[in-house]
Amino acid sequence: FYCQNMKLGKKSREFVDVSLSFDPHPLSKDITTLRNERAINNSIKNLILTVPTEVPFQSNIGSHVRKSLFELNDGFTYALLEEEIRRTINFSEPRVELEEVKVKGSVDDHEVRCMIKYKIVGYETVITVEQILTPTD
């Protein structure tokens, strides 16, 4: 028996996180959940903005990005931020395959823009997320 049009594939996992806003769903009144891309984007943002030792009993979770936001706004600081974001995501977010991290700053607006490209494990689509960091976050 031979079937020419049969296509075999691997079913990808779905990733679900609870929204940290704890706002109830308007219809079900249950806690809102985030799925796949939104869940991972939220996780990446939280990891970048969390200071190490801020999470009880897990002192290695988080990054030193906030501390670097008060440094000089130059290429060296951007390279340091890129490396710290890359390290944090690779160490703490196993659901992604990191593709690229770019950091640009704006002296006039007192902000740093982080562009992060990644693939969800098991998916082929490259997702781009931009995070704006300011020293007052």
Side-chain angles (χ1 to χ4, degrees):
F1 174 66
Y2 178 74
C3 183
Q4 194 171 16
N5 295 331
M6 190 171 176
K7 184 177 180 182
L8 297 176
K10 181 179 170 185
K11 186 176 179 184
S12 299
R13 287 180 48 190
E14 181 177 54
F15 299 106
V16 181
D17 288 347
V18 175
S19 173
L20 294 179
S21 69
F22 294 107
D23 292 333
H25 189 275
L27 300 176
S28 68
K29 304 298 184 209
D30 201 3
I31 293 176
T32 307
T33 57
L34 304 174
R35 297 183 183 281
N36 293 336
E37 182 181 334
R38 288 187 61 211
I40 292 172
N41 288 347
N42 197 43
S43 173
I44 288 172
K45 180 183 97 173
N46 289 335
L47 285 169
I48 291 170
L49 296 177
T50 300
V51 178
T53 70
E54 192 174 349
V55 178
F57 307 108
Q58 293 184 334
S59 60
N60 55 353
I61 300 292
S63 74
H64 297 283
V65 167
R66 280 187 175 182
K67 190 168 44 173
S68 298
L69 293 175
F70 292 98
E71 300 294 327
L72 291 174
N73 208 346
D74 62 2
F76 179 74
T77 304
Y78 302 152
L80 219 101
L81 285 168
E82 284 176 6
E83 188 57 38
E84 182 62 12
I85 291 168
R86 197 174 290 114
R87 183 202 62 78
T88 301
I89 294 170
N90 284 333
F91 180 76
S92 301
E93 187 49 85
R95 301 178 289 184
V96 303
E97 295 171 5
L98 195 58
E99 296 280 318
E100 182 180 13
V101 176
K102 290 230 187 251
V103 174
K104 292 182 198 173
S106 173
V107 178
D108 298 334
D109 296 330
H110 305 290
E111 66 185 22
V112 175
R113 292 180 178 265
C114 306
M115 189 267 309
I116 301 165
K117 288 185 180 182
Y118 66 89
K119 285 190 215 176
I120 297 175
V121 173
Y123 290 77
E124 290 300 316
T125 307
V126 175
I127 298 164
T128 302
V129 62
E130 186 173 19
Q131 181 67 42
I132 299 172
L133 306 171
T134 59
T136 57
D137 278 342

